[in-house]
Amino acid sequence: MVLAGVLIYALIYSYLTLSKFNAFNATAADLGINASMLYGVFHGSLSLSPGKTGFINTGKLIYLILAPFYNLYPHEQVLLIFQSVWISLCSIPIYFIAKMKTPGGFIPVAVSLLWLLYYPMAGVNWFDFHFMALFPTFFLSAFAFSIYGRWKIALVFFLLATITDFLIPFVMIYYSSVTLYLDYKNGRRIGKNHTAWILITFSISIFIVTNVLFGFSY
């Protein structure tokens, strides 16, 4: 049922966002900006010199990971479809989180499907394409792996979540700090401690580098 929900959501919102784009109603400038960033990685618009046009955007490093895939078929429509599919996939880690944290039965399925019906996420999907829209699926996938004790995989997803937007390091620092506080308060010393410290260090580093390179107004 969850996979069916993922498929239905992805198909419906891919159709809606493509229809909006084809009707010249894609009004958020970020779709063009982000498509240009992704395209430029392999077409001469990426610079390794700070201050120059095309210098690596450390506030959205996820674009460097997505660029190879986007450039296989570099069209804005691909981003709209990808975003619709990616947002819908978030219901899968939500299912496994609910399966661990609830009595089970139909409850995990219901919680998972409610994500697909959550109206604010529909608004995100409708607002053309933004890298920050990738955050929930990365973060909740990481959280799901962590509660099942798969710390190495969880860390990879946490790090990917951190580089989706320049404000996310704040989220990760807060999350990691609360995790550490609860662990020390309860006398636990488990894998999440190392994960939390790595996330705090990585997030602070990303924040400092981004603001040094682009200015604190960024």
Side-chain angles (χ1 to χ4, degrees), residues 74-111:
H75 297 275
E76 289 85 350
Q77 295 93 321
V78 171
L79 296 179
L80 298 176
I81 295 173
F82 168 68
Q83 180 173 258
S84 298
V85 173
W86 190 253
I87 288 176
S88 69
L89 287 174
C90 191
S91 61
I92 295 176
I94 290 175
Y95 168 79
F96 284 105
I97 294 169
K99 188 177 180 181
M100 173 70 78
K101 298 296 184 178
T102 68
F106 185 72
I107 295 177
V109 176
V111 172

Tab-separated table of all heavy atoms in Angstrom, residues 74-111:
chain	number	residue	atom	x	y	z
A	74	PRO	N	19.797	16.925	-19.631
A	74	PRO	CA	19.701	18.220	-18.947
A	74	PRO	C	18.511	19.077	-19.370
A	74	PRO	O	18.642	20.010	-20.169
A	74	PRO	CB	21.028	18.893	-19.314
A	74	PRO	CG	21.377	18.314	-20.647
A	74	PRO	CD	20.879	16.891	-20.623
A	75	HIS	N	17.355	18.766	-18.830
A	75	HIS	CA	16.146	19.541	-19.097
A	75	HIS	C	15.413	19.788	-17.784
A	75	HIS	O	15.374	18.911	-16.914
A	75	HIS	CB	15.234	18.810	-20.079
A	75	HIS	CG	15.843	18.618	-21.436
A	75	HIS	ND1	15.794	19.583	-22.420
A	75	HIS	CD2	16.534	17.583	-21.957
A	75	HIS	CE1	16.424	19.137	-23.506
A	75	HIS	NE2	16.889	17.936	-23.248
A	76	GLU	N	14.823	20.976	-17.656
A	76	GLU	CA	14.173	21.351	-16.405
A	76	GLU	C	13.081	20.373	-15.995
A	76	GLU	O	12.826	20.155	-14.813
A	76	GLU	CB	13.573	22.759	-16.521
A	76	GLU	CG	14.598	23.873	-16.566
A	76	GLU	CD	15.115	24.128	-17.972
A	76	GLU	OE1	14.823	23.313	-18.870
A	76	GLU	OE2	15.826	25.140	-18.172
A	77	GLN	N	12.430	19.764	-16.984
A	77	GLN	CA	11.352	18.828	-16.672
A	77	GLN	C	11.845	17.655	-15.820
A	77	GLN	O	11.109	17.116	-14.996
A	77	GLN	CB	10.715	18.288	-17.961
A	77	GLN	CG	10.014	19.352	-18.795
A	77	GLN	CD	10.901	19.967	-19.858
A	77	GLN	OE1	12.092	20.198	-19.616
A	77	GLN	NE2	10.336	20.220	-21.022
A	78	VAL	N	13.105	17.272	-16.028
A	78	VAL	CA	13.682	16.169	-15.256
A	78	VAL	C	13.689	16.515	-13.767
A	78	VAL	O	13.403	15.670	-12.914
A	78	VAL	CB	15.119	15.872	-15.740
A	78	VAL	CG1	15.806	14.876	-14.812
A	78	VAL	CG2	15.092	15.322	-17.156
A	79	LEU	N	14.009	17.770	-13.449
A	79	LEU	CA	14.054	18.198	-12.049
A	79	LEU	C	12.668	18.153	-11.415
A	79	LEU	O	12.517	17.792	-10.241
A	79	LEU	CB	14.627	19.607	-11.946
A	79	LEU	CG	16.079	19.775	-12.400
A	79	LEU	CD1	16.508	21.236	-12.277
A	79	LEU	CD2	17.003	18.882	-11.597
A	80	LEU	N	11.648	18.528	-12.175
A	80	LEU	CA	10.288	18.515	-11.643
A	80	LEU	C	9.830	17.089	-11.342
A	80	LEU	O	9.213	16.822	-10.304
A	80	LEU	CB	9.340	19.180	-12.640
A	80	LEU	CG	9.633	20.656	-12.943
A	80	LEU	CD1	8.702	21.177	-14.023
A	80	LEU	CD2	9.514	21.501	-11.678
A	81	ILE	N	10.154	16.176	-12.246
A	81	ILE	CA	9.787	14.770	-12.025
A	81	ILE	C	10.573	14.195	-10.852
A	81	ILE	O	10.022	13.510	-9.980
A	81	ILE	CB	10.040	13.947	-13.306
A	81	ILE	CG1	9.117	14.413	-14.433
A	81	ILE	CG2	9.838	12.451	-13.030
A	81	ILE	CD1	9.417	13.775	-15.778
A	82	PHE	N	11.875	14.490	-10.833
A	82	PHE	CA	12.725	13.980	-9.753
A	82	PHE	C	12.230	14.454	-8.391
A	82	PHE	O	12.158	13.683	-7.434
A	82	PHE	CB	14.164	14.438	-9.979
A	82	PHE	CG	15.064	14.211	-8.790
A	82	PHE	CD1	15.402	12.926	-8.391
A	82	PHE	CD2	15.569	15.285	-8.062
A	82	PHE	CE1	16.228	12.707	-7.289
A	82	PHE	CE2	16.388	15.087	-6.976
A	82	PHE	CZ	16.716	13.792	-6.578
A	83	GLN	N	11.885	15.732	-8.291
A	83	GLN	CA	11.412	16.264	-7.012
A	83	GLN	C	10.124	15.579	-6.576
A	83	GLN	O	9.964	15.245	-5.396
A	83	GLN	CB	11.197	17.774	-7.124
A	83	GLN	CG	10.715	18.415	-5.835
A	83	GLN	CD	10.678	19.919	-5.935
A	83	GLN	OE1	11.559	20.597	-5.425
A	83	GLN	NE2	9.670	20.463	-6.585
A	84	SER	N	9.218	15.345	-7.506
A	84	SER	CA	7.954	14.682	-7.170
A	84	SER	C	8.191	13.262	-6.667
A	84	SER	O	7.597	12.828	-5.676
A	84	SER	CB	7.033	14.652	-8.394
A	84	SER	OG	6.696	15.957	-8.811
A	85	VAL	N	9.079	12.560	-7.338
A	85	VAL	CA	9.397	11.183	-6.936
A	85	VAL	C	10.114	11.185	-5.587
A	85	VAL	O	9.788	10.389	-4.698
A	85	VAL	CB	10.270	10.490	-8.000
A	85	VAL	CG1	10.745	9.129	-7.498
A	85	VAL	CG2	9.492	10.340	-9.310
A	86	TRP	N	11.074	12.079	-5.428
A	86	TRP	CA	11.887	12.101	-4.205
A	86	TRP	C	11.047	12.416	-2.973
A	86	TRP	O	11.207	11.798	-1.924
A	86	TRP	CB	13.020	13.107	-4.355
A	86	TRP	CG	14.033	13.029	-3.255
A	86	TRP	CD1	14.214	13.913	-2.232
A	86	TRP	CD2	15.009	11.999	-3.065
A	86	TRP	NE1	15.232	13.508	-1.416
A	86	TRP	CE2	15.744	12.324	-1.909
A	86	TRP	CE3	15.332	10.842	-3.759
A	86	TRP	CZ2	16.774	11.535	-1.427
A	86	TRP	CZ3	16.367	10.049	-3.283
A	86	TRP	CH2	17.074	10.398	-2.136
A	87	ILE	N	10.154	13.400	-3.090
A	87	ILE	CA	9.283	13.751	-1.963
A	87	ILE	C	8.386	12.574	-1.605
A	87	ILE	O	8.171	12.273	-0.417
A	87	ILE	CB	8.445	14.998	-2.301
A	87	ILE	CG1	9.341	16.239	-2.305
A	87	ILE	CG2	7.294	15.173	-1.307
A	87	ILE	CD1	8.635	17.513	-2.722
A	88	SER	N	7.871	11.881	-2.608
A	88	SER	CA	6.991	10.736	-2.333
A	88	SER	C	7.739	9.593	-1.658
A	88	SER	O	7.193	8.887	-0.806
A	88	SER	CB	6.341	10.239	-3.634
A	88	SER	OG	7.294	9.629	-4.491
A	89	LEU	N	9.019	9.417	-1.998
A	89	LEU	CA	9.815	8.335	-1.405
A	89	LEU	C	10.005	8.498	0.102
A	89	LEU	O	10.311	7.535	0.799
A	89	LEU	CB	11.179	8.258	-2.090
A	89	LEU	CG	11.206	7.690	-3.511
A	89	LEU	CD1	12.600	7.804	-4.102
A	89	LEU	CD2	10.741	6.241	-3.531
A	90	CYS	N	9.813	9.703	0.605
A	90	CYS	CA	9.971	9.951	2.034
A	90	CYS	C	8.991	9.128	2.863
A	90	CYS	O	9.240	8.855	4.045
A	90	CYS	CB	9.782	11.434	2.323
A	90	CYS	SG	10.257	11.901	3.992
A	91	SER	N	7.882	8.718	2.273
A	91	SER	CA	6.901	7.938	3.019
A	91	SER	C	7.434	6.553	3.394
A	91	SER	O	6.926	5.917	4.322
A	91	SER	CB	5.604	7.796	2.218
A	91	SER	OG	5.841	7.118	0.994
A	92	ILE	N	8.481	6.087	2.694
A	92	ILE	CA	9.043	4.765	3.006
A	92	ILE	C	9.799	4.776	4.326
A	92	ILE	O	9.522	3.946	5.204
A	92	ILE	CB	9.921	4.268	1.845
A	92	ILE	CG1	9.061	4.049	0.597
A	92	ILE	CG2	10.649	2.973	2.234
A	92	ILE	CD1	9.833	3.652	-0.634
A	93	PRO	N	10.773	5.691	4.547
A	93	PRO	CA	11.391	5.728	5.880
A	93	PRO	C	10.392	6.057	6.980
A	93	PRO	O	10.526	5.562	8.106
A	93	PRO	CB	12.468	6.810	5.755
A	93	PRO	CG	12.108	7.609	4.557
A	93	PRO	CD	11.436	6.641	3.629
A	94	ILE	N	9.386	6.879	6.671
A	94	ILE	CA	8.359	7.175	7.674
A	94	ILE	C	7.639	5.890	8.088
A	94	ILE	O	7.344	5.676	9.266
A	94	ILE	CB	7.359	8.212	7.130
A	94	ILE	CG1	8.036	9.579	7.025
A	94	ILE	CG2	6.122	8.302	8.025
A	94	ILE	CD1	7.176	10.651	6.398
A	95	TYR	N	7.380	5.020	7.129
A	95	TYR	CA	6.739	3.733	7.439
A	95	TYR	C	7.582	2.916	8.411
A	95	TYR	O	7.071	2.384	9.409
A	95	TYR	CB	6.514	2.945	6.144
A	95	TYR	CG	6.135	1.501	6.401
A	95	TYR	CD1	4.836	1.152	6.753
A	95	TYR	CD2	7.085	0.482	6.311
A	95	TYR	CE1	4.490	-0.173	7.010
A	95	TYR	CE2	6.756	-0.837	6.561
A	95	TYR	CZ	5.454	-1.162	6.906
A	95	TYR	OH	5.121	-2.461	7.172
A	96	PHE	N	8.889	2.841	8.146
A	96	PHE	CA	9.750	2.021	9.011
A	96	PHE	C	9.953	2.663	10.381
A	96	PHE	O	10.095	1.957	11.381
A	96	PHE	CB	11.092	1.779	8.317
A	96	PHE	CG	11.016	0.758	7.226
A	96	PHE	CD1	11.032	1.137	5.891
A	96	PHE	CD2	10.910	-0.591	7.530
A	96	PHE	CE1	10.950	0.202	4.884
A	96	PHE	CE2	10.841	-1.541	6.529
A	96	PHE	CZ	10.852	-1.150	5.195
A	97	ILE	N	9.955	3.999	10.442
A	97	ILE	CA	10.020	4.669	11.738
A	97	ILE	C	8.759	4.359	12.542
A	97	ILE	O	8.822	4.005	13.729
A	97	ILE	CB	10.180	6.191	11.554
A	97	ILE	CG1	11.531	6.511	10.922
A	97	ILE	CG2	10.035	6.915	12.896
A	97	ILE	CD1	11.677	7.958	10.466
A	98	ALA	N	7.606	4.491	11.892
A	98	ALA	CA	6.337	4.219	12.570
A	98	ALA	C	6.221	2.750	12.972
A	98	ALA	O	5.651	2.425	14.013
A	98	ALA	CB	5.172	4.617	11.661
A	99	LYS	N	6.780	1.871	12.152
A	99	LYS	CA	6.743	0.451	12.467
A	99	LYS	C	7.516	0.156	13.743
A	99	LYS	O	7.136	-0.717	14.528
A	99	LYS	CB	7.330	-0.346	11.298
A	99	LYS	CG	7.166	-1.855	11.422
A	99	LYS	CD	7.705	-2.549	10.180
A	99	LYS	CE	7.545	-4.065	10.290
A	99	LYS	NZ	8.086	-4.758	9.091
A	100	MET	N	8.605	0.884	13.968
A	100	MET	CA	9.420	0.702	15.162
A	100	MET	C	8.793	1.373	16.385
A	100	MET	O	8.882	0.877	17.501
A	100	MET	CB	10.822	1.259	14.922
A	100	MET	CG	11.737	1.276	16.141
A	100	MET	SD	12.271	-0.359	16.688
A	100	MET	CE	13.553	-0.707	15.456
A	101	LYS	N	8.137	2.524	16.182
A	101	LYS	CA	7.699	3.363	17.290
A	101	LYS	C	6.221	3.240	17.650
A	101	LYS	O	5.759	3.899	18.589
A	101	LYS	CB	8.014	4.833	16.974
A	101	LYS	CG	9.501	5.127	16.789
A	101	LYS	CD	10.275	4.889	18.079
A	101	LYS	CE	11.739	5.266	17.915
A	101	LYS	NZ	12.499	5.080	19.180
A	102	THR	N	5.453	2.455	16.901
A	102	THR	CA	4.024	2.297	17.186
A	102	THR	C	3.705	0.822	17.388
A	102	THR	O	4.547	-0.047	17.128
A	102	THR	CB	3.168	2.844	16.025
A	102	THR	OG1	3.350	2.008	14.860
A	102	THR	CG2	3.554	4.282	15.679
A	103	PRO	N	2.482	0.499	17.857
A	103	PRO	CA	2.123	-0.905	18.070
A	103	PRO	C	2.111	-1.751	16.798
A	103	PRO	O	2.045	-2.981	16.869
A	103	PRO	CB	0.710	-0.810	18.673
A	103	PRO	CG	0.645	0.551	19.271
A	103	PRO	CD	1.464	1.418	18.376
A	104	GLY	N	2.169	-1.116	15.642
A	104	GLY	CA	2.193	-1.874	14.389
A	104	GLY	C	0.821	-1.980	13.765
A	104	GLY	O	-0.014	-1.082	13.908
A	105	GLY	N	0.586	-3.076	13.089
A	105	GLY	CA	-0.681	-3.242	12.385
A	105	GLY	C	-0.785	-2.272	11.225
A	105	GLY	O	0.171	-2.085	10.460
A	106	PHE	N	-1.936	-1.593	11.124
A	106	PHE	CA	-2.152	-0.664	10.014
A	106	PHE	C	-1.594	0.724	10.315
A	106	PHE	O	-1.473	1.550	9.411
A	106	PHE	CB	-3.657	-0.561	9.715
A	106	PHE	CG	-3.973	0.285	8.514
A	106	PHE	CD1	-3.698	-0.175	7.227
A	106	PHE	CD2	-4.529	1.552	8.658
A	106	PHE	CE1	-3.967	0.610	6.123
A	106	PHE	CE2	-4.811	2.336	7.565
A	106	PHE	CZ	-4.531	1.867	6.285
A	107	ILE	N	-1.225	0.967	11.581
A	107	ILE	CA	-0.783	2.308	11.970
A	107	ILE	C	0.411	2.801	11.148
A	107	ILE	O	0.396	3.931	10.640
A	107	ILE	CB	-0.464	2.367	13.474
A	107	ILE	CG1	-1.733	2.132	14.288
A	107	ILE	CG2	0.150	3.721	13.849
A	107	ILE	CD1	-1.507	2.089	15.784
A	108	PRO	N	1.483	2.013	10.976
A	108	PRO	CA	2.612	2.493	10.161
A	108	PRO	C	2.218	2.845	8.732
A	108	PRO	O	2.723	3.822	8.166
A	108	PRO	CB	3.592	1.318	10.188
A	108	PRO	CG	3.246	0.564	11.422
A	108	PRO	CD	1.764	0.684	11.560
A	109	VAL	N	1.312	2.066	8.173
A	109	VAL	CA	0.843	2.354	6.812
A	109	VAL	C	0.090	3.678	6.786
A	109	VAL	O	0.306	4.520	5.905
A	109	VAL	CB	-0.064	1.211	6.298
A	109	VAL	CG1	-0.618	1.561	4.919
A	109	VAL	CG2	0.698	-0.091	6.248
A	110	ALA	N	-0.795	3.878	7.771
A	110	ALA	CA	-1.586	5.109	7.832
A	110	ALA	C	-0.686	6.325	8.005
A	110	ALA	O	-0.856	7.346	7.322
A	110	ALA	CB	-2.593	5.019	8.971
A	111	VAL	N	0.299	6.229	8.919
A	111	VAL	CA	1.220	7.349	9.145
A	111	VAL	C	2.002	7.670	7.872
A	111	VAL	O	2.189	8.827	7.507
A	111	VAL	CB	2.192	7.021	10.296
A	111	VAL	CG1	3.276	8.095	10.418
A	111	VAL	CG2	1.434	6.881	11.608
